[in-house]
Amino acid sequence: MIPQLAQFERVVFFTGAGMSAESGVPTYRGQGGLWKHYDYERYACQTAFDRDPEGVWDFHNYRRELVGACRPHRGHDVIVAAEQQLSRVTVVTQNIDGMHQLAGSTGVTELHGSLWRVRCDRCGETQSGYDSPLADLHCGGCGGWWRPDIVWFGDMLNEAVVQSAVSQISQCDLLVAVGTSAVVYPAAQLPQLAAKGGAVLVEINPEPTPMSALYHHHLRGPASEMLLAMAEGLALPPA
Ligand code: OAD
């Protein structure tokens, strides 16, 4: 039997790139995965940025254009409806694309930062905006390079963001992991906290993952269809 969202009070959706796949945002691994075509050592780490900031920005501006043309899907609507109609629903995401917020989710914790926020590489100032692609690559205050405020390979996650995710996940009674390969740490181990807290765990993914054994229910299909299958009793906006 498929667990229904409306039967739970404190729900966390823990999402990865597969959540945005049906919106047209490429995943990182598997068929058509971003890291198959782009070498992260050249485009997604601080050393690459120090060596060639413009080259790294070309890649991220390309991603901004790509993501800017994408729209949320029915699965995002289900998450928004759950947030609006159940008592405590949040999203903890590894995605940097802002698709949950575009759909209308407000309680979103971004573990890996945001493609739509920049941080000054010199003074640490941050700025957000849907300016796509970013035209001025330098901080207005100190003249340092803006860098995308996302967690690149080798970067530390923001401690306050991780603590917030830990607290939400430890206290939930349902955790729904959607579209993550569960191979990137420390994010991949966060769902274990929900298991420790006695929550019901659901994995939505067409493929098994190294963390599948942790989950009580496995919904093997695309995010939109599987989330709709959990949405009995929720009022959804017209399709
Ligand atoms: P991956 O690209 O590693 O995995 C995507 C997962 O989504 C795979 O397990 C697919 O089987 C699944 N999937 C594909 N289509 C789907 C669909 N329509 N519905 C549901 N699931 C689907 O993406 P992540 O696990 O998010 O980090 O990757 C984790 C991190 O690795 C990313 O945040 C990024 C990357 O390097 C940084 O950039 C720091």
Side-chain angles (χ1 to χ4, degrees), residues 15-23 26-30 33-35 40 44 63 73 93-96 111-113 150-155 157 177-185 187 203-210 219 221-224 226:
T15 65
M19 178 73 214
S20 299
E22 292 161 85
S23 293
T27 59
Y28 294 96
R29 300 171 182 80
L34 206 60
W35 301 144
Y40 74 83
R63 292 189 72 189
H73 57 70
T93 188
Q94 296 163 83
N95 298 344
I96 58 169
L111 287 170
H112 291 162
I150 63 182
V151 176
W152 282 330
F153 287 88
D155 288 349
L157 273 67
V178 191
T180 175
S181 60
V183 296
V184 173
Y185 284 79
E203 180 180 62
I204 295 180
N205 197 316
E207 310 284 340
T209 73
L219 306 186
S224 61
M226 298 297 111

Side-chain angles (χ1 to χ4, degrees), residues 90-176:
T90 56
V91 176
V92 174
T93 188
Q94 296 163 83
N95 298 344
I96 58 169
D97 55 29
M99 211 53 67
H100 287 294
Q101 294 91 327
L102 197 58
S105 289
T106 54
V108 183
T109 301
E110 294 175 309
L111 287 170
H112 291 162
S114 172
L115 185 57
W116 307 108
R117 196 171 57 235
V118 292
R119 184 174 83 231
C120 177
D121 203 33
R122 188 185 293 164
C123 71
E125 167 82 10
T126 58
Q127 253 180 41
S128 301
Y130 281 74
D131 174 17
S132 176
L134 187 76
D136 187 352
L137 301 182
H138 290 95
C139 169
C142 77
W145 283 95
W146 289 127
R147 56 157 277 176
D149 194 13
I150 63 182
V151 176
W152 282 330
F153 287 88
D155 288 349
M156 301 288 285
L157 273 67
N158 179 302
E159 192 51 39
V161 171
V162 173
Q163 275 319 313
S164 167
V166 164
S167 144
Q168 294 167 55
I169 291 175
S170 308
Q171 292 170 41
C172 71
D173 52 17
L174 173 69
L175 179 129
V176 187

